[in-house]
Amino acid sequence: MIKDKIPFFIGIGGSGMSALANILLDMSIPIRGYDKTNSEVVEKLRERGAKIVNSKDSISLDGIDYA
């Protein structure tokens, strides 16, 4: 079941990825992701509970079920 999985989004601040992330957050699914830009979209996703890193060196796929 998808609610038991943790996704990782690369480019989470983009229009497509952020839309998918918001849908999953609406479903109470924990979200992790990466975006090089700390945009308003990224900040809103963080406020909703997404864990987002801005450095490629900070990416960790431990506990991630799909990316």
Side-chain angles (χ1 to χ4, degrees), residues 2-7 21 23-31 66:
I2 194 169
K3 288 196 175 207
D4 300 329
K5 308 291 183 190
I6 298 175
I23 290 168
L24 295 180
L25 287 168
D26 288 344
M27 296 171 64
S28 300
I29 296 172
I31 299 298
Y66 53 95

Side-chain angles (χ1 to χ4, degrees), residues 6-13 17 21 30-36 42 45-46 49-55 58-61 64 67:
I6 298 175
F8 187 90
F9 291 89
I10 297 172
I12 197 167
M17 292 298 164
I31 299 298
R32 295 186 191 165
Y34 160 81
D35 203 288
K36 66 180 178 180
V42 169
L45 287 169
R46 280 191 180 118
K51 294 184 179 7
I52 302 170
V53 296
N54 296 107
S55 168
S58 299
I59 294 174
S60 171
L61 298 179
I64 298 299

